[in-house]
Amino acid sequence: MRMTPALVLVGSVVIFTASVFAVIVVPWQTMAHQPSAAWRELSADELAGRKLYIANGCTYCHSQFVRTQDWDLGMERISQPGDYLGLSPHLLGTTRTGPDLAQQGGEHPDDWHVAHLVSPRFTRPQSLMPRFEFLGQENIRLLIAYLQGMGGRDADQRVQRQQEWKARAVAAYNAGADENVKWLHDNVPEGWRPLPTPYPATEPSLQRGAKVYQDFCIGCHGPVGDGQGPAAPYLNPPPLNFTTLRRNLVDGKYIGGILYYQIMNGITGTAMPYFKHELESAKIWDVSNFIAANFIGFDDSNTEPAGIDASYEPLRTQKPASGRWRDHGKGDAP
Amino acid sequence: MRLVSDEEHSAARAFLVSGMVWMAIGTTFGLIGGIALAAPDAIRNVPWLVFGRVRPVHVNLVAVGFVPMVLIGAGLYLVPTLLRTRLYGERLAHVGIWLYNAALAIGAIELARGHTQAREYAELTWIPDVLIVGAFVALIISFGGTLARRQEPLLYVSVWYFGAALAVTAALYPLGNAMWNPSTGAVTGVLDAILLWFYGHNVVGLLLTPLALCAAYYLVPAITRAPLYSHTLSMIGFWSLLGFYTHIGGHHLLQAPIPVWLKVISVIDSVMMMIPVLVVLVNLWLTARGRFGDLFASVPGKFVLLGTINYLIVGVQGPLQSLPAVQRVTHFTQWTIAHAHLAVLGFTGMIALGALYYALPRVTGKLVWSERLANTQFWFVFLSVTAFMLVLTGAGLAQGHAWINGETVYRTVPMLSPYMMVRALFGVMLVLAAYLGLYNVLMTIYRGKPVAVEAAEGSVRKPATA
């Protein structure tokens, strides 16, 4: 075959055109352009927020589609073509350096997002996201409006739930420290309340707990557990001061079950997220032990009812009358 | 240097210098982005230096600026040489270069200001888009005129690749950037993702790859002074590249909600991409058989040799990572970033630098100012791109496996840290290489010793045509 200019030119253009037809025009014509059940129009604020999302390249680290293999995310829904109807440009993303945002709406209340955008490490100590304080208050508000709309109608329901519980949480906080704790306790299911931490607060457990605390909790609750972390000024209600729990133990002797439940499930309406996707059971118990031992000054770990000890646990020492494990941290048998 | 000169080779020279300037600026932005990922508070609250703006500046300046501009510059010397004529429309090619440079300058400033189409590889906004299409139209006219006035009846394979790259890009660019929608540069919904990845992958496949192969097909026979191994293989490689590459964009969207048949096509054609890659490499390496030492002995030769080796790696990796079983782990991770760096810098970028050092003495009439600097640049580029590849692939595997094991993304963020630090360190090395190269090119032009006439003529021997 002799490669003449005409052959090279015509051949290239024909192949290119055929390809465009096959992989662009045919999908264009054959795909169903129907909205999904969750789809809705974006509001003016949300569209303005989307422009900020585009301008600042959020799409380079945050994907916007849940894949079939994304079981790590614990999402309730795989993304569908109808979720993206009319959006231009698409923002599906190609890299997931940060979390996927397809269902971000209503995951957190607005104030969490404000703190997070001012400095991502305020709420997420290990984040490597840049600070977006430079956007200014109004633009941060618009960006958050967009984030809270991600997930369409599903997101709207979650946002509404956040708002309802926020009103109650703020009212409880305003009623005073002890009323606040009482409200928090009352919203933990009955079975979880008179429940001690089943694992002993040994030194290794406390060290593991300290690591979890630093990686997940310190930005809001602060290094001494007084709720004065760097994120605190942005949050309403502010993060809990753990020391207020000392005088509000359940039946005067339990706190482990409450800590576990609140860490696992979060407190919707407040900036306290749920951690059940990120922390395995043992890590939640460890950080509960850490908080109890260091900030509450009381831990109920390994008291009755404790069931059969897990095989790795050190032998129990006798429980002193004070209700504290005097040797916690050592884990030695008597 | 006048702005629109009619001096022979002046357009080629302007493209080469411009490409090297964009390499320096583009890699600098890459380093800023790399530092942000290793130390997110190193630069705070500077809007135009935020990672999400720095990254598209980097990507566009290196993938639309540096690599294609250097390769076009080399092509503007190689193609007329192969056609035994001088470039038609030297002034027009100069207009092309100024349009191209204006597009990149305006585009980069726009991106830094947050004006972007937000579609990977298609971020440049409408005005830069128009300027770039204008540049390609100017180049096509210049190339067509050269072709019409050629003294050599046979077209060597480099000419096919050069012509196809220009012609197809002139059609691809407006389509991929949805230039009929100036305000968004996009269509809507999932279709926009399909269109974008058709375009995004074709920038590599129909612009960078053919331009790089244009240079490689010239340099390997010229440096080893051996005839090209096979005309038939050249044709198979050329047509299969066009035929398969154009369908593979969907492999970026294998887990996205696009039609399944489109995914199937993209995976099959991605695997078929082994054919054009291997055919071209067999052809080039059999041409150089027994003379690899000659390649490695010269600066252009070693750049091209390593470029072809990286082409093998990236061209085998690509088909494999398009397989759903592999992508289950690698998709969305730093693995993909590693692949992109290997393709754009390791393969086409290294061949571009080889073509630069080959063409530079021939378009300036001066010896390369410092062979030693050029060699240093080679080793810096080679080491840094290899390190990028290894480090980012490692990071990607760690991320992907952690996710599959049920870890959330937040828990995988801290483990990126050591990888990102090593990557940023090698980024420093690459930026140094870029500035060394630019310095060397400028010193060659302004301070280089003239090439002796006989040597010059001896060394521009045309490689054997088929």
Side-chain angles (χ1 to χ4, degrees), chain A residues 19 56 60 87 94 215 278, chain B residues 53 120 123 189 246 410-411:
Chain A
S19 301
N56 292 288
Y60 298 112
L87 294 175
T94 52
D215 293 352
E278 307 199 304
Chain B
R53 299 196 194 178
E120 240 169 289
E123 284 100 343
T246 40
Y410 177 66
R411 286 200 39 182

Side-chain angles (χ1 to χ4, degrees), chain B residues 115-195:
Chain B
H115 296 170
T116 171
Q117 294 178 178
R119 301 154 83 245
E120 240 169 289
Y121 297 90
E123 284 100 343
L124 296 178
T125 45
W126 194 73
I127 289 172
D129 286 349
V130 171
L131 297 173
I132 284 181
V133 172
F136 273 90
V137 170
L139 286 168
I140 287 171
I141 296 170
S142 187
F143 171 77
T146 311
L147 209 54
R149 285 161 178 70
R150 71 188 191 275
Q151 302 296 309
E152 169 62 55
L154 291 174
L155 301 188
Y156 182 64
V157 50
S158 293
V159 182
W160 320 340
Y161 278 114
F162 194 75
L166 295 183
V168 172
T169 303
L172 171 71
Y173 196 93
L175 176 67
N177 283 279
M179 283 177 65
W180 60 94
N181 288 333
S183 61
T184 57
V187 293
T188 62
V190 173
L191 278 170
D192 187 49
I194 295 173
L195 175 63

Side-chain angles (χ1 to χ4, degrees), chain B residues 300-325:
Chain B
K302 68 177 71 169
F303 268 115
V304 172
L305 177 60
L306 262 297
T308 57
I309 291 170
N310 284 333
Y311 190 33
L312 176 69
I313 300 170
V314 83
V316 172
Q317 186 193 31
L320 291 179
Q321 77 190 35
S322 77
L323 299 174

